[in-house]
């Protein structure tokens, strides 16, 4: 991963202290295992991060159900300021997933969460931060559809326009 020497700024927005601690521990474990530098900032409510937001986070991991300003409202406010930050929601209720499309959320983390699942979701987020999220080109042949990574294509030539 190309982010090894860079500092990655991550915000945790979680009002439950025990769950915020779990997320912090998972991030620290990920940092050690992947030789990546993380700067982790915690907020207890959506209003807190919105009030202090300056567009300097790469990833925001945010609970949806918060006391004063819920995560979805906070995400809408953040999107007005920053279109590129990666938003990942934490929730115990999967029905919020559809609302996440409004704010271009990358993922949902359902509580309770194992470290392995968290690691997979964070890997996906880092690919987006690095601009390396995989894109594919589909090519239909007479026998099958080929799925080729765009980064692996060097040259395309077409002999028939079918």
């Amino acid at each position: 991963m190309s982010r090894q020497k860079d500092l990655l700024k991550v915000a945790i927005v979680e009002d439950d202290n025990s769950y915020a601690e779990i997320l912090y521990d998972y991030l620290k474990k990920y940092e050690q295992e992947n030789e990546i530098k993380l700067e982790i900032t915690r907020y207890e409510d959506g209003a807190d991060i919105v009030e202090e937001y300056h567009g300097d986070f790469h990833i925001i991991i945010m609970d949806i159900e918060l006391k004063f300003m819920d995560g979805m409202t906070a995400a809408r406010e953040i999107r007005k300021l920053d279109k590129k930050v990666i938003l990942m929601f934490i929730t115990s209720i999967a029905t919020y997933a559809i609302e996440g499309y409004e704010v271009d959320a990358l993922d949902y983390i359902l509580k309770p969460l194992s470290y392995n699942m968290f690691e997979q979701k964070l890997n996906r987020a880092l690919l987006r931060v690095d601009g390396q999220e995989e894109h594919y080109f589909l090519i239909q042949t007479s026998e099958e559809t080929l799925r080729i990574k765009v980064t692996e294509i060097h040259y395309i030539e077409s002999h028939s326009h079918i």
Side-chain angles (χ1 to χ4, degrees):
M1 201 161 285
S2 67
R3 190 148 283 288
Q4 290 179 359
K5 301 226 182 326
D6 295 345
L7 178 67
L8 186 74
K9 294 183 178 186
V10 179
I12 298 172
V13 186
E14 172 62 69
D15 56 352
D16 180 328
N17 287 332
S18 62
Y19 207 77
E21 198 171 298
I22 289 169
L23 289 169
Y24 181 84
D25 291 345
Y26 282 179
L27 285 166
K28 293 309 273 182
K29 181 177 180 178
Y30 187 91
E31 181 181 46
Q32 288 179 331
E33 289 178 352
N34 294 278
E35 298 176 7
I36 186 171
K37 294 177 186 175
L38 299 177
E39 180 181 298
I40 305 165
T41 306
R42 176 174 176 216
Y43 298 92
E44 291 188 22
D45 193 77
D48 298 334
I49 190 170
V50 167
E51 185 177 304
E52 296 179 21
Y53 196 76
H54 300 291
D56 54 349
F57 290 110
H58 296 98
I59 300 172
I60 299 173
I61 303 171
M62 185 163 22
D63 192 359
I64 291 180
E65 296 178 310
L66 298 164
K67 188 173 182 179
F68 297 107
M69 181 185 288
D70 67 89
M72 200 59 68
T73 301
R76 286 185 189 104
E77 293 300 312
I78 288 168
R79 277 291 179 239
K80 291 177 185 175
L81 305 168
D82 188 347
K83 302 280 187 218
K84 292 185 178 184
V85 66
I86 307 298
L87 296 173
M88 298 172 68
F89 287 113
I90 307 165
T91 184
S92 53
I93 304 168
T95 55
Y96 288 117
I98 302 218
E99 276 187 81
Y101 288 110
E102 294 176 29
V103 293
D104 191 28
L106 175 69
D107 218 330
Y108 280 83
I109 301 171
L110 291 176
K111 296 177 182 179
L113 179 72
S114 70
Y115 176 74
N116 289 338
M117 183 58 69
F118 179 80
E119 180 182 35
Q120 288 175 15
K121 291 179 180 290
L122 195 55
N123 282 335
R124 183 170 178 229
L126 289 177
L127 287 175
R128 170 110 24 120
V129 168
D130 286 341
Q132 297 176 0
E133 188 170 31
E134 292 296 339
H135 297 280
Y136 295 90
F137 191 74
L138 299 178
I139 300 174
Q140 182 67 49
T141 69
S142 58
E143 293 125 23
E144 64 181 324
T145 301
L146 302 172
R147 186 174 182 233
I148 302 171
K149 291 181 186 177
V150 170
T151 55
E152 294 177 352
I153 297 173
H154 300 283
Y155 177 80
I156 296 176
E157 183 175 327
S158 175
H159 292 285
S160 64
H161 300 285
I162 298 176

